[in-house]
Structures are given as structure tokens and as C-alpha cells.
Amino acid sequence: MSFAYSLIGLGLSIAKIAAFGNDAPGNFLTGFGFYEPFWLVDFANICIVVHLVGAYQVFCQPIYTVVEGWCSRRWPESKFITKGYPVTIWFYGIFHLNIFRLIWRTFYVIVTCVIAMIFPFFNSVLGLIGAFSFWPLTMYFPMEMYISRAKIRRCSFVWIWLKVLISTCLVVSLLAAAGSIQGIIKDVTAYKPFTSIS
């Protein structure tokens, strides 16, 4: 399902660039002065926030795991790092609260938010992250797993077209990364800390 959504998003991005070229606004809803009806713009922004919060959680979990695992191995006798305190939560049961985990994750979120505010090239940076993560996570690994699981013969018709699709999406990701880097370079020339550019 996420593969289908990614292809739809890729198609919409290509259509937006084909239609508007370099004049395509970063915020497509309000970039052309479209602010009516307010509820539609607000609903779209709420959907973007929900999407980004979920994506942030997905991308941060490996970082949390690596740091917490390293600290547990480095200081295995530390109660601050390893001990969980039972807290009863209604309708959930007992939750084991780890103070180190609470402080570390809160600190990480604060630091990333401050960095995002200092360097506010939101659309360009988001495009760069999307370009780097789209091809391996949405195209290459899922397609290779499908080829392996379905036991598709090498050099068969389906195998060739899947490889063409993988290669095409790699080229699109590289072009998107180049465009995002160009956008970041352009934004740096008008950079002011804690001021939104895009």
C-alpha cells in the first residue's frame, strides 16, 4: 500500500513540476493565493502534521534504539539507565517508565526542533530527505524482496521491467536530490536564523 502511495506522490510531483516548472510553490495549496475555504487549508495542514509526526517517529526509532542500547552496554550497572519504574495508566495497565529514556528522547526532540528552526529550509531539506529515502526504502528493497520471494527468473519479462522501474526511480531520486541541494544553496544566500524561507 505504501508503494502505491509513493508512486501516486511521485506522479503528482512530476505533474506539478511539468505544469509549473520552477514557479511551482513549496506549499501548493496557499502558494497561488488560495486561502478559501479556510477549513480545507486547515484540514490539509492537519494531515501534513499527522504525516510528519508519524514519519518523524519512524525515522527516530533507530536512533533512539542505538543510543539506548549503547548506554545500556556501556553502563549496565546504572539504575538511571536500566531501571524502569512501574506507573499505572488507566485503560492500559502498568507502564514501565525509564527516566533516562524520557530525558534522552525529550532532549533529542528539543535539539532537532531547534536545529529545524535555525535552518528553516523546510521544503528543500524535506525534499532532500525524501530523495534519499524514497529509492532505497520504497523501491529497491521492497522490489528486491518481491523478486526473491516470488522467485522471478533472472532476465524474464517481469524481472526486466521491475529492474527498469527501480532504475528509473533511482534517476528520479538523484534528480530530486540535486534539485533539493540547489534549493538549499539558493536559500542559504538569503539565510536569517529563525526565519522561514520556504
Side-chain angles (χ1 to χ4, degrees):
M1 186 62 90
S2 71
F3 173 70
Y5 287 136
S6 296
L7 285 182
I8 290 169
L10 178 64
L12 290 174
S13 296
I14 291 171
K16 180 173 100 168
I17 292 169
F20 300 104
N22 288 339
D23 295 329
N27 187 338
F28 206 61
L29 279 179
T30 60
F32 297 111
F34 172 77
Y35 295 101
E36 298 283 339
F38 290 112
W39 66 268
L40 182 60
V41 176
D42 292 341
F43 179 72
N45 287 329
I46 289 169
C47 290
I48 290 169
V49 167
V50 169
H51 168 73
L52 290 178
V53 166
Y56 183 83
Q57 290 299 315
V58 167
F59 283 110
C60 288
Q61 289 304 319
I63 297 169
Y64 294 155
T65 302
V66 166
V67 170
E68 291 163 7
W70 180 81
C71 288
S72 294
R73 286 188 303 277
R74 179 85 167 91
W75 299 287
E77 68 284 341
S78 172
K79 299 288 185 209
F80 174 70
I81 293 173
T82 58
K83 185 174 181 185
Y85 298 95
V87 176
T88 304
I89 299 176
W90 288 3
F91 304 112
Y92 177 76
I94 295 177
F95 175 76
H96 293 281
L97 177 67
N98 183 294
I99 303 299
F100 168 71
R101 185 177 294 157
L102 176 69
I103 292 171
W104 149 243
R105 291 182 181 203
T106 303
F107 174 75
Y108 180 81
V109 170
I110 290 169
V111 167
T112 56
C113 288
V114 168
I115 290 171
M117 289 187 292
I118 291 173
F119 302 106
F121 318 130
F122 182 75
N123 289 332
S124 298
V125 171
L126 198 61
L128 185 63
I129 292 169
F132 283 136
S133 65
F134 170 73
W135 183 75
L137 298 178
T138 306
M139 296 305 301
Y140 181 74
F141 291 123
M143 290 289 196
E144 289 297 329
M145 287 187 285
Y146 174 75
I147 290 170
S148 176
R149 184 158 189 233
K151 296 183 178 31
I152 296 175
R153 283 185 303 114
R154 192 176 193 78
C155 297
S156 68
F157 180 77
V158 174
W159 184 86
I160 289 171
W161 280 108
L162 288 175
K163 293 295 184 177
V164 166
L165 180 61
I166 290 171
S167 302
T168 303
C169 288
L170 174 62
V171 170
V172 169
S173 290
L174 292 174
L175 291 174
S180 296
I181 291 170
Q182 186 264 343
I184 290 171
I185 291 170
K186 186 179 90 174
D187 289 343
V188 165
T189 59
Y191 168 68
K192 289 183 184 120
F194 299 103
T195 304
S196 180
I197 290 175
S198 52

